Amino acid sequence: MAISLLKRFLCMWFRKAPLILIPICLTIYVQAQSCLPIDSAFQRSSLRGCLLAFTDSTNSRNVSDLDLNRFYPVQRPNFGTDGLAHWLTFTCENTTANPKHLVVEVDIVYADEMSFYVLADSKVIQKIEHDSWRVPIWKRTIQSRYFAFPLDIQPHQHVRVYIHGQEHSGTLLMPVTVWDKAAFETYALTQTIAFATPAATLLILALASLVLFLFFPNVIWIFYAVHAVGTAIYTLNIEGFMAHYAPAPLNQIKGYAIGVSTSWIANLLFTQHFVYKRLTKPVNWIVAINYGVVAVQSIWLLYLLIMPFKGNSASVALWMTGLTASFIFCCLLICLGRGSREARFYLVAITPFLLSILIRVLASANVITTQSWHYYARYYTPLFEIIVLGVGAIRQLIRERETTLIQLDNAQKEIISAQETERRRLAQDLHDDIGTSLIALRGKLPADSPDAQHLLDQIITDVRAVSHNLMPDELATLGLTVAVAEAARRLQEASHIRLFFVSAGEVVALSQAAELAAYRAVLELLHNVVRHSKATEAVVQLVYHPDGLNITIEDNGQGFPIKKGDKPGGIGLKSVASRTEWLGGKMAIDSSGAGTTIRLDIPYESRTS
C-alpha cells in the first residue's frame, strides 16, 4: 500500500513539477539576469538583457502592486499606440566603495505620463511622479529634452528601478539607458549640438532665400524657404526643442507632422517650378497630379491643425510621406528621361533623403532593424537635399540672368545697328541729295547778292559737317584715335571752346562695333560740353592701358548737380551710359562748380569683341 502511494506521488510530482518549477526558475533567472553591476569604470549601459516590462491594462496599478512574475524581458521597448500604462524595471548594484551618481534616461520626448521609482529592500527611497512632456524643461530634476532621472547609489547598495510610462495620442517608445552622470552631461551637450545644427542651418537657408526673393523676385524662393522651415520644425519637434519653447500646436506631438506636411507642400510646388515648368515639352498630366498631391497634403495639414493627434495619425503621416516621396521620385525619373538637367540635379539632392524614408518605412513594418546612423540620417539627409536644391536654384537664377543679359545685349546691339544704319542713310541723303541741291542753288543765285552767297556756303559747310559726324570716314579708315582727334578739331572750329586732344599708350584696335560705340559716346559728351557747360577749355584723353581703354572728357565749365550713386538724368548721358555698359565698361562722373570730368573705362575683351 505504501509503495503504491509513493509511486502515485512520484508520478504526480514528475507531471506537475515542470508547471511549478518553470515559473520559479524563470523568476530566479530573470532576477539574476536583470542585475546591472556598476563598477568604477562604468560609463553607460543600454540594459541589454536586464530590462523587464509589464503592461497594466487596467491603468490602475502603482509601484506597490506590481508582481515581478508578470514582467517579461524586452530589448528596446516599443509599446505602440495602445494608450495603456506600461512599466519597466531593472536592478543594479554599486560594486564600488564610493557612491555612484547615475542618470536614467528614457529616450522619448512626448509622453503623457512618466514616473520613476527606486526601491531598496522593497522600500521606495526615491521617486519622481507624474512627469510629462508638458512639464517645462527648467522645472525638471534633470534639465533634459528627454525624460532623465537621477539615480544615486550608495557603496555596495542593490536597488530596483521602476519606470512607468503612458502616451494617449502617439507611439510609446521607451528605450532606457543608464549613464554615469558626467558621461550623460557630455552626451547631452553633444546630442544637442548634433540635432540643433541641421535645424539652425535650415532656418538660416530659409532667411537667405527670403533675402534673395527681395532682390530677385521669384516665387521659387518662397517655396524654398517654406520647405526649409517645415523641415526645421520637424527636426526641432522630434528632438524636443519645440516641446518646451514653441507655442501650440507646434509644441505637441503632432507638431512634427505639421512640419513634414508643410515641407512637402512647398517641396511639391518648388519641384514644379524648378523642374516641370522647364521641360522642353511640358508633361501636363504630371502638373495636374502634382496639384492633386498638393491638395491632399493641404487637407491633411488642415486636419492636423484642427483635430487631435490620434494613435494611428503617426502611421498615416509616415505613409503620406512615403507616397509623396515616391511620387516625386517617379516624376523626376520621367523628366530625366526627357533630358531635364534640373531633374538630374534634383535626383542627386533627394536620393539620400528618399533612402532614409525607405529605411523608416521598412523599420516601421519590422522588415529591418533600425541602426543608430539611421536616426541621424533623418535629419542630415533633408539638410543635404535642401542645400543642393539651393545651389541648383542659384545656378538656375544665374543661367536665367545670363540668358536675359545676352538677350538684352542682342537687343541693344540690334538697336545700335539700326541707329547706325539710319545714320548712314541720313548721311548719304544729306551728302547726295541736300548737298547737291544746295550746290546747284548756289549757281543760280544772283552775282550781286554776296550775303546770300555767304549764307548758302555756310549752310553747305554745316550740312557737310553733319553728314561727316553721322558717318566719319576716318573712323573706318584710320581708327578711333584719329576720328576722335578730328571730331575735337571740328568742334573747336565751330565753337568758342578750346579743345585739346591727348592720346597715350600703344593704340589697341577694337572691333568695328566697339569703336563706333565709343566714338558715339565721345561725340555725345563733346556736344554736351559745347551746348551746356559754358566752358572755355576742354580736354579729351584716350589712354590705352594694357587691360583696357580709358577715355576722359574734362572741362572748366559750370558743372551740374549729381549725387553719388545717381544715374545720369539727361538723354545724352543715358545714351553714353548705355553704350558704355554695352561695351562692358563703366562710367564715372565728377562734377562741381569748377568743372566736370567724365571717365569711361572700356575693357578690350568686351561682349562686342
Side-chain angles (χ1 to χ4, degrees), residues 384-440:
F384 173 80
E385 176 210 345
I386 291 175
I387 289 175
V388 175
L389 289 181
V391 173
I394 291 175
R395 288 181 57 187
Q396 194 177 81
L397 172 66
I398 292 173
R399 287 199 306 269
E400 289 178 350
R401 286 184 61 82
E402 288 177 348
T403 301
T404 301
L405 287 174
I406 291 173
Q407 292 174 347
L408 289 174
D409 286 345
N410 291 336
Q412 194 171 29
K413 190 172 183 178
E414 290 176 0
I415 292 172
I416 293 175
S417 177
Q419 288 177 343
E420 295 305 325
T421 301
E422 188 62 19
R423 288 175 185 271
R424 291 190 187 95
R425 188 188 65 79
L426 289 174
Q428 192 70 27
D429 290 345
L430 286 173
H431 182 272
D432 295 343
D433 298 338
I434 298 177
T436 302
S437 299
L438 290 174
I439 292 173

Side-chain angles (χ1 to χ4, degrees), residues 15-126:
R15 286 199 304 266
K16 301 292 185 180
L19 299 178
I20 298 172
L21 293 176
I22 287 176
I24 295 174
C25 294
L26 181 61
T27 300
I28 295 173
Y29 171 78
V30 165
Q31 290 182 354
Q33 290 297 311
S34 64
C35 183
L36 174 67
I38 308 296
D39 56 23
S40 57
F42 179 80
Q43 292 292 308
R44 60 167 290 183
S45 172
S46 59
L47 298 176
R48 186 175 297 275
C50 298
L51 199 60
L52 307 176
F54 165 68
T55 299
D56 178 14
S57 58
T58 64
N59 293 339
S60 60
R61 294 181 182 271
N62 55 47
V63 69
S64 62
D65 299 332
L66 298 175
D67 182 1
L68 280 176
N69 293 322
R70 303 187 66 178
F71 280 75
Y72 57 89
V74 290
Q75 295 297 333
R76 186 174 176 85
N78 182 352
F79 300 109
T81 58
D82 56 14
L84 299 177
H86 297 273
W87 289 85
L88 298 176
T89 186
F90 66 93
T91 61
C92 60
E93 181 179 1
N94 182 0
T95 61
T96 70
N98 299 310
K100 297 296 292 185
H101 302 287
L102 309 175
V103 173
V104 179
E105 180 196 33
V106 183
D107 191 4
I108 186 175
V109 173
Y110 292 97
D112 295 325
E113 167 72 23
M114 192 69 67
S115 297
F116 175 76
Y117 304 91
V118 181
L119 282 70
D121 299 326
S122 301
K123 294 182 180 180
V124 177
I125 61 173
Q126 184 181 347

Side-chain angles (χ1 to χ4, degrees), residues 1-17:
M1 184 68 179
I3 294 175
S4 178
L5 290 174
L6 179 60
K7 288 182 178 180
R8 292 177 62 182
F9 173 78
L10 290 175
C11 290
M12 181 183 69
W13 168 254
F14 284 112
R15 286 199 304 266
K16 301 292 185 180

Side-chain angles (χ1 to χ4, degrees), residues 433-454:
D433 298 338
I434 298 177
T436 302
S437 299
L438 290 174
I439 292 173
L441 178 61
R442 183 174 57 181
K444 295 182 179 181
L445 286 176
D448 56 353
S449 54
D451 293 338
Q453 289 279 357
H454 178 72

Side-chain angles (χ1 to χ4, degrees), residues 413 415-424 467-477 479-481 483-484 509-524 544 549 551 575-576 579-580 582-583 600 602 606 608:
K413 190 172 183 178
I415 292 172
I416 293 175
S417 177
Q419 288 177 343
E420 295 305 325
T421 301
E422 188 62 19
R423 288 175 185 271
R424 291 190 187 95
S467 176
H468 187 274
N469 287 334
L470 286 171
M471 183 49 60
D473 296 333
E474 57 269 16
L475 181 63
T477 57
L480 178 63
T481 304
V484 171
L510 306 179
S511 67
Q512 182 179 359
E515 290 200 342
L516 186 57
Y519 176 80
R520 296 298 183 200
V522 172
L523 203 61
E524 182 64 43
Y544 289 89
L549 171 62
I551 302 175
S575 175
V576 173
R579 291 178 184 274
T580 304
W582 180 69
L583 289 169
L600 310 179
I602 301 171
S606 65
T608 59

Side-chain angles (χ1 to χ4, degrees), residues 586-608:
K586 295 181 180 179
M587 173 179 176
I589 302 175
D590 181 17
S591 185
S592 66
T596 300
T597 300
I598 298 178
R599 174 175 175 147
L600 310 179
D601 291 311
I602 301 171
Y604 295 137
E605 296 182 0
S606 65
R607 286 191 294 269
T608 59

Side-chain angles (χ1 to χ4, degrees), residues 529-608:
V529 171
V530 173
R531 289 193 295 262
H532 307 298
S533 69
K534 297 183 180 180
T536 59
E537 292 183 352
V539 179
V540 183
Q541 297 184 66
L542 269 66
V543 180
Y544 289 89
H545 295 286
D547 56 346
L549 171 62
N550 167 247
I551 302 175
T552 304
I553 293 89
E554 185 177 2
D555 65 67
N556 63 350
Q558 62 184 356
F560 57 92
I562 185 169
K563 294 181 180 179
K564 187 176 181 180
D566 281 359
K567 293 183 178 180
I571 295 176
L573 288 178
K574 285 182 178 179
S575 175
V576 173
S578 177
R579 291 178 184 274
T580 304
E581 185 177 353
W582 180 69
L583 289 169
K586 295 181 180 179
M587 173 179 176
I589 302 175
D590 181 17
S591 185
S592 66
T596 300
T597 300
I598 298 178
R599 174 175 175 147
L600 310 179
D601 291 311
I602 301 171
Y604 295 137
E605 296 182 0
S606 65
R607 286 191 294 269
T608 59

